[in-house]
Amino acid sequence: MVDAGDGGASAGATKKKPAAASAKGKAAGKGKADSKGSPKAKESSLLKQKSPAEFFAENKNIAGFDNPGKSLYTTMRELVENALDSAESISELPDIEITIEEITKSKFNTMIGLVDRERVDAALYDDFESAKAREKRLAKEARFQETQAKNAALGKKVKDTPAARGKGRGEASFFRVTCKDNGRGMSHEDIPNMFGRVLSGTKYGLRQTRGKFGLGAKMALIWSKMSTGLPIDIKSSMKGQNYISFCRLDIDIHKNIPHIHLHEKRENNDHWRGAEIQVIIEGNWTTHRSRILHYMRQMAVITPYAQFLFRFLSDAPEKNLTIKFARRTDVMPPVPLLTKHHPSSVDLLLIKRLITDTTKPNLLQFLQHEFVNISKAHADRLIGEMGPDFNAKTTVNSLTSQQLVRIHQLFRQARFDDPSGDCLSPAGEYNLRLGIIKELHPDLVATHAGSPQVFEGHPFIVEAGISIGGKDVKQGLNIFRFANRIPLLFEQGADVITRTALKRITWNQYKINQQQDKIGVFVSIVSTKIPFKGTGKEYIGDDITEIADAVKSALKQCCLQLKSKIVKKLQAREQQDRKRNLTKYIPDVARTIMETLGEIADESPPKRARYDKEDEELLEKINSEEVTEMTFRDCLSQYVEQVDYEMALEYAMQSGVSDEPREALYLNSLEGSYKFIDLQSPSFMFRYIP
């Protein structure tokens, strides 16, 4: 009974628990229902989209806007490269002016109409220093000063006082970046979309270009909007226009459309042609000053036909800077040509797009005209290999997905001739040599331009130069990298050019000391597709065998040229040492000869009978003192000079170099106005005056 009672009590308790659990379940169910029906839940389940402008604004590091310093560098770089492209597109010698003007925070606030306000709560700010931290810092500085005083008393080297480092980011610096060129200019109607719509541009297509993504100045505008909120100013005038287009705009990040503040036509009384772009951004000149100047110097090396005027302006006069990179030649590379795709480099998506865009109705014409290196006979053979479902008159719009896959597989398996490099525009061996000489002033320089080669269906050309000695060149390897004629300054360690120069070239084999000599290594790669690694487009991977082998071969050719020159210089130096040593011993040799001949002259006549008539005359002149020690010295000196002259002449004939003194020669016309034409080369300048 007790057990039953206990069991009944237990059962009764058990019956109550489900009721409570049920109540809790209902409450939980109600909570879930409320959760599903809440606005937050509905909002999180909505499908959202981002515009390209919004994507790049949130991922600005992809375009090189990692921090204020890098953003200033990238903005300047993008504007300069756009200016070069604009001038080169019309075969105009580029004349580019770049100005970076520092704007203080107070000046910036005045510009936007914001009144400066003094700090009320100092502890609120990032750079606040508490009393304890200040006491600790002063104690550390006192210990440092004491140590320095002891070192000075002992005659040891005294270190500079370390600069104080702020805790936070410090005061923001703003800069007005202006780039002016003499290029093609822009159409009045196209300016808003060219600057205010991301992923729109004129560089799309299979062509060697400095840029690919249609970003450029658009990212500078996005960064300006993010850091200062100010718009960008554009001035432009094309050939034949009697007006200047002026446009002030920013970008609607969420809609990826331009927001135009002012768009008008102004008078062009000076008949100016080109473009001028001005943007105000946050930046850091101190951290990236060397990068910016290094970039300008390298750009002057790879484009010696361009003239750059770079200015940095500040309220502090001692910080102002003006550098002019003068034009050295008027020989420009040809304009890169738009080319067609090689069959081995296409994918399914590209084949579908080509079919959509083509004007050719049937498969035979499509293969012939949309790809390179497919002749009519070759196209017929390919169609025959595709199977019975294909024929020459098959309309491309009727091709099924399975048939497109079959075409793609055949493109991957069939053999095609490599594309030529006719569509490429390398700097040219002549321009590369001039650029190196103009900027580095080396003692020796060698250049080599390789023949066109191919990787993954894309043609590429490698040009290389190596210099020894020069101005502002450090000991060891100084590597300068270029891709499609633009300098690469970041992420050098993993680049194929750096690794090849460091690990695959045995410099000692070519009489070059890798540690002590001042070696400049210049490599320029141009292609319709540069295989950059990472998102920053700052280095070329070392995993493409074709490119690595081409770089190594080009550098070796330069080394062989330098070895020949170095050997000749060593021979000339040995010759100079030989002459110096011979001249040094002339007095001793002359004295010894004179003493020996004097003893012979004093011998008795019977022993002298063994000498011929000329010897007898010499001995008589010695006895009569007509021939003295000075006579032998003069004869030996003349002989050494004659031998040295003959060897120097032979060296000059072999090397093709004349070391005669150079003098300026001016030919003036007898009458009339003077019109000068300068014809320059590495060894002379000739001025023609008609």
Side-chain angles (χ1 to χ4, degrees):
M1 294 293 293
V2 173
D3 292 340
D6 290 343
S10 176
T14 306
K15 289 179 182 178
K16 289 180 180 179
K17 283 182 181 178
S22 175
K24 289 181 181 179
K26 290 179 180 179
K30 184 178 180 182
K32 290 181 180 179
D34 290 344
S35 174
K36 290 182 180 179
S38 65
K40 290 184 178 180
K42 290 182 179 179
E43 184 180 348
S44 63
S45 63
L46 292 176
L47 182 64
K48 297 181 180 180
Q49 294 180 344
K50 287 185 178 180
S51 73
E54 189 176 4
F55 171 80
F56 283 106
E58 294 177 357
N59 302 276
K60 56 186 183 298
N61 60 300
I62 293 177
F65 288 76
D66 305 59
N67 52 66
K70 183 77 176 294
S71 299
L72 178 63
Y73 161 78
T74 305
T75 297
M76 181 276 306
R77 167 180 174 168
E78 294 288 358
L79 296 183
V80 168
E81 291 169 9
N82 286 347
L84 281 171
D85 286 337
S86 179
E88 291 174 357
S89 66
I90 57 174
S91 300
E92 182 77 20
L93 292 172
D95 194 346
I96 300 172
E97 298 179 14
I98 310 102
T99 304
I100 299 178
E101 180 184 356
E102 186 177 24
I103 301 174
T104 61
K105 182 181 177 182
S106 59
K107 188 175 180 181
F108 173 77
N109 289 345
T110 303
M111 184 186 303
I112 63 175
L114 182 65
V115 179
D116 285 339
R117 177 178 172 82
E118 294 184 0
R119 295 182 178 183
V120 178
D121 186 358
L124 180 65
Y125 292 89
D126 204 7
D127 55 359
F128 172 74
E129 185 180 34
S130 64
K132 186 177 181 180
R134 183 174 182 274
E135 182 181 351
K136 186 177 180 180
R137 177 177 59 83
L138 291 176
K140 184 178 179 181
E141 291 178 359
R143 290 194 301 269
F144 178 81
Q145 294 294 340
E146 184 180 353
T147 304
Q148 293 299 86
K150 290 180 180 179
N151 290 340
L154 296 174
K156 296 181 180 180
K157 185 178 180 181
V158 179
K159 299 179 181 180
D160 295 333
T161 304
R165 296 181 179 179
K167 177 184 175 185
R169 298 184 300 272
E171 291 289 340
S173 298
F174 302 97
F175 299 88
R176 179 186 285 113
V177 183
T178 306
C179 183
K180 184 178 181 181
D181 64 64
N182 61 336
R184 180 191 296 274
M186 294 165 281
S187 171
H188 182 81
E189 295 76 15
D190 292 339
I191 291 177
N193 284 329
M194 292 182 73
F195 287 87
R197 194 183 296 271
V198 174
L199 300 184
S200 66
T202 60
K203 297 181 180 180
Y204 296 122
L206 194 62
R207 185 196 313 235
Q208 173 194 325
T209 58
R210 288 189 171 94
K212 275 286 186 187
F213 298 148
L215 291 175
K218 305 177 187 66
M219 273 306 303
L221 174 55
I222 291 176
W223 174 245
S224 174
K225 189 174 179 67
M226 295 175 67
S227 59
T228 68
L230 294 177
I232 189 172
D233 288 352
I234 305 110
K235 294 180 182 177
S236 176
S237 181
M238 302 184 71
K239 185 177 181 180
Q241 288 183 352
N242 58 358
Y243 62 88
I244 294 177
S245 299
F246 177 82
C247 187
R248 176 174 294 145
L249 60 86
D250 62 23
I251 186 171
D252 187 323
I253 298 294
H254 303 290
K255 296 181 180 179
N256 191 33
I257 58 175
H259 177 213
I260 302 172
H261 295 251
L262 181 63
H263 193 193
E264 63 183 9
K265 296 179 180 179
R266 298 178 176 178
E267 292 184 359
N268 188 11
N269 297 326
D270 297 333
H271 304 288
W272 169 71
R273 183 190 68 201
E276 180 178 337
I277 301 170
Q278 186 178 102
V279 60
I280 298 177
I281 60 172
E282 182 182 352
N284 192 326
W285 168 255
T286 304
T287 58
H288 278 68
R289 176 184 184 274
S290 60
R291 293 283 189 179
I292 291 173
L293 297 181
H294 198 194
Y295 171 85
M296 293 304 305
R297 189 185 188 193
Q298 290 198 32
M299 187 59 81
V301 169
I302 202 65
T303 57
Y305 52 86
Q307 179 168 287
F308 299 97
L309 178 61
F310 177 84
R311 287 189 292 254
F312 178 79
L313 305 178
S314 174
D315 291 340
E318 65 274 8
K319 294 175 65 176
N320 289 348
L321 178 67
T322 300
I323 303 177
K324 183 177 182 180
F325 299 91
R327 180 180 295 115
R328 181 61 187 268
T329 178
D330 58 357
V331 178
M332 292 180 62
V335 178
L337 302 176
L338 187 66
T339 186
K340 298 174 184 177
H341 293 275
H342 193 269
S344 63
S345 67
V346 299
D347 52 38
L348 272 174
L349 188 63
L350 182 56
I351 293 175
K352 291 179 180 179
R353 184 171 67 80
L354 291 176
I355 288 176
T356 303
D357 297 341
T358 188
T359 59
K360 304 303 176 183
N362 58 55
L363 183 58
L364 178 65
Q365 294 178 340
F366 172 74
L367 295 177
Q368 282 183 258
H369 294 90
E370 297 298 336
F371 301 95
V372 295
N373 295 352
I374 297 183
S375 61
K376 184 177 182 300
H378 198 181
D380 285 329
R381 293 175 61 191
L382 289 172
I383 294 172
E385 191 68 21
M386 292 177 187
D389 296 336
F390 297 86
N391 60 70
K393 295 184 179 180
T394 300
T395 57
V396 290
N397 292 329
S398 65
L399 294 172
T400 64
S401 299
Q402 292 79 7
Q403 289 176 318
L404 293 180
V405 171
R406 176 58 184 146
I407 294 175
H408 179 239
Q409 291 176 348
L410 182 60
F411 280 174
R412 289 295 182 89
Q413 298 169 359
R415 183 171 56 187
F416 301 92
D417 292 337
D418 290 336
S420 67
D422 297 341
C423 61
L424 301 179
S425 176
E429 190 175 351
Y430 173 76
N431 279 336
L432 182 59
R433 177 183 291 268
L434 280 185
I436 296 172
I437 293 173
K438 177 170 74 78
E439 293 302 320
L440 271 68
H441 304 283
D443 302 324
L444 294 174
V445 62
T447 55
H448 175 75
S451 58
Q453 299 189 48
V454 178
F455 79 96
E456 297 179 358
H458 296 278
F460 72 95
I461 294 176
V462 173
E463 298 172 301
I466 298 179
S467 64
I468 304 294
K471 182 179 67 174
D472 299 331
V473 182
K474 299 178 182 178
Q475 284 187 334
L477 294 179
N478 299 266
I479 300 175
F480 302 84
R481 303 170 294 134
F482 305 93
N484 279 352
R485 307 210 309 268
I486 62 172
L488 305 178
L489 268 62
F490 294 89
E491 302 181 49
Q492 178 170 306
D495 191 272
V496 61
I497 298 170
T498 303
R499 292 194 173 186
T500 300
L502 290 175
K503 299 181 179 180
R504 302 187 183 111
I505 302 296
T506 308
W507 297 96
N508 292 335
Q509 180 181 345
Y510 304 99
K511 309 294 184 183
I512 300 174
N513 191 319
Q514 183 178 347
Q515 305 300 328
Q516 297 181 1
D517 290 339
K518 298 179 178 180
I519 310 169
V521 179
F522 303 81
V523 177
S524 173
I525 302 175
V526 296
S527 176
T528 54
K529 180 184 178 182
I530 297 292
F532 289 113
K533 294 292 184 181
T535 58
K537 298 194 303 178
E538 288 291 350
Y539 77 101
I540 301 171
D542 193 30
D543 55 343
I544 299 178
T545 306
E546 296 88 344
I547 293 181
D549 291 344
V551 171
K552 179 180 178 181
S553 175
L555 290 178
K556 278 191 170 184
Q557 290 298 321
C558 294
C559 288
L560 288 173
Q561 296 178 39
L562 285 178
K563 182 180 179 181
S564 175
K565 296 179 181 180
I566 292 172
V567 167
K568 290 178 181 178
K569 288 193 71 174
L570 291 175
Q571 291 175 348
R573 188 180 302 169
E574 291 175 358
Q575 175 189 335
Q576 291 177 353
D577 293 341
R578 178 175 177 273
K579 176 185 176 182
R580 185 167 53 251
N581 292 334
L582 288 175
T583 304
K584 177 181 177 181
Y585 292 109
I586 280 177
D588 295 336
V589 173
R591 188 183 308 111
T592 302
I593 293 176
M594 187 64 191
E595 291 175 355
T596 302
L597 292 178
E599 293 176 359
I600 295 175
D602 293 338
E603 289 179 355
S604 57
K607 290 185 178 181
R608 293 175 57 185
R610 57 185 174 180
Y611 302 111
D612 56 21
K613 186 177 180 181
E614 292 181 356
D615 295 337
E616 290 286 347
E617 292 177 356
L618 176 60
L619 294 174
E620 289 176 1
K621 289 180 180 180
I622 291 175
N623 282 331
S624 63
E625 297 185 354
E626 185 177 350
V627 174
T628 62
E629 183 179 336
M630 292 303 300
T631 305
F632 287 111
R633 286 191 183 187
D634 293 341
C635 291
L636 288 173
S637 297
Q638 291 178 9
Y639 176 76
V640 170
E641 289 292 339
Q642 179 65 25
V643 172
D644 180 68
Y645 174 77
E646 291 176 354
M647 293 180 68
L649 183 62
E650 182 181 359
Y651 170 75
M653 292 175 64
Q654 291 178 355
S655 59
V657 177
S658 174
D659 292 328
E660 296 178 359
R662 302 175 184 179
E663 298 180 358
L665 179 63
Y666 300 93
L667 302 176
N668 296 328
S669 59
L670 298 177
E671 58 184 9
S673 60
Y674 298 152
K675 295 181 179 179
F676 302 102
I677 300 176
D678 288 349
L679 307 176
Q680 303 184 22
S681 83
S683 58
F684 73 90
M685 184 189 79
F686 178 76
R687 173 166 286 185
Y688 171 64
I689 309 173

